[in-house]
Amino acid sequence: MPTCLPLVRRRCHACASERLRPSGKFRVNANHKLLDVWLLALCTTCGETAKLTVLERMTVRSIRPDVLDRLHDNDPGLTAELLQDPAVQRRNRIDLDWDNAWRLDTGGSDHPDGDTIDVAVRFAARIPVRPVRLIADGCGLSRAEVERLITEGKVVSAVRLSGKLSGDFTFTLKR
């Protein structure tokens, strides 16, 4: 589950930094009946403000009233939603850096010492994470140990466990 907003990977226009921190604030600008909306982000090095385009030249009536209210109220939930929106990422040529922005919540359950453990992983947000890292953190193993168990066929899943995943998956651990 997420613990904070991810950093935005994009070059600062004032310095050579590659990371921006979303401020959670929106700028809504009206030009007659047309609205422009930007999400403001601050450079992690120099603090300079950058604008990430959310909406361009939209008529006021084409924006749902509840979304417009959330924009005016600087809703942090809307900030998280828009940062993960592929259209916003493409328009602004940004990528998200989720390092240290999530935590693993095992629900406080003890891990049984049985022969086989079936585990279902559910994501609270679409955070790209390496399954090997999740399995290692959740089961108290090293990543090398998890890799070894995968090659030996003792960790089995319907999805490929190498690379990154951001969707729910299940796996079986055989001890």
Side-chain angles (χ1 to χ4, degrees), residues 26-41:
F26 293 97
R27 168 132 190 252
V28 181
N29 186 35
N31 185 4
H32 300 288
K33 294 181 182 178
L34 301 176
L35 289 181
D36 291 320
V37 178
W38 298 281
L39 172 62
L40 302 179

Side-chain angles (χ1 to χ4, degrees), residues 1 23 34 37 52 70 72-73 83 92 99 109 128-129 146-147 156 163:
M1 63 182 13
S23 69
L34 301 176
V37 178
L52 304 175
R70 291 174 72 189
H72 286 298
D73 294 339
L83 281 174
N92 292 287
D99 290 345
S109 62
V129 179
V146 173
E147 292 281 355
V156 182

Side-chain angles (χ1 to χ4, degrees), residues 23-84:
S23 69
K25 297 188 185 302
F26 293 97
R27 168 132 190 252
V28 181
N29 186 35
N31 185 4
H32 300 288
K33 294 181 182 178
L34 301 176
L35 289 181
D36 291 320
V37 178
W38 298 281
L39 172 62
L40 302 179
L42 304 172
C43 176
T44 56
T45 304
C46 69
E48 189 69 26
T49 302
K51 296 188 296 189
L52 304 175
T53 303
V54 175
L55 299 172
E56 283 184 300
R57 301 290 179 210
M58 299 287 294
T59 59
V60 176
R61 291 182 184 213
S62 67
I63 303 171
R64 292 192 342 248
D66 62 318
V67 173
L68 195 55
D69 288 341
R70 291 174 72 189
L71 288 168
H72 286 298
D73 294 339
N74 293 321
D75 183 15
L78 183 60
T79 301
E81 289 173 30
L82 290 173
L83 281 174
Q84 294 180 44

Side-chain angles (χ1 to χ4, degrees), residues 29-172:
N29 186 35
N31 185 4
H32 300 288
K33 294 181 182 178
L34 301 176
L35 289 181
D36 291 320
V37 178
W38 298 281
L39 172 62
L40 302 179
L42 304 172
C43 176
T44 56
T45 304
C46 69
E48 189 69 26
T49 302
K51 296 188 296 189
L52 304 175
T53 303
V54 175
L55 299 172
E56 283 184 300
R57 301 290 179 210
M58 299 287 294
T59 59
V60 176
R61 291 182 184 213
S62 67
I63 303 171
R64 292 192 342 248
D66 62 318
V67 173
L68 195 55
D69 288 341
R70 291 174 72 189
L71 288 168
H72 286 298
D73 294 339
N74 293 321
D75 183 15
L78 183 60
T79 301
E81 289 173 30
L82 290 173
L83 281 174
Q84 294 180 44
D85 183 2
V88 172
Q89 290 181 7
R90 236 183 347 270
R91 180 182 299 131
N92 292 287
R93 296 184 195 101
I94 62 171
D95 195 18
L96 301 180
D97 181 3
W98 284 98
D99 290 345
N100 302 318
W102 62 273
R103 70 177 170 85
L104 179 64
D105 184 12
T106 59
S109 62
D110 293 330
H111 302 292
D113 292 331
D115 292 338
T116 303
I117 303 170
D118 290 321
V119 179
V121 178
R122 304 283 175 243
F123 287 83
R126 296 190 55 80
I127 302 170
V129 179
R130 295 188 186 283
V132 172
R133 181 175 176 193
L134 278 181
I135 295 168
D137 290 349
C139 296
L141 302 170
S142 69
R143 283 188 265 177
E145 179 72 11
V146 173
E147 292 281 355
R148 185 182 62 75
L149 290 172
I150 291 172
T151 57
E152 291 176 359
K154 293 186 178 183
V155 175
V156 182
S157 179
V159 299
R160 198 178 91 224
L161 296 175
S162 61
K164 289 187 176 183
L165 289 176
S166 59
D168 299 343
F169 69 97
T170 59
F171 69 91
T172 302

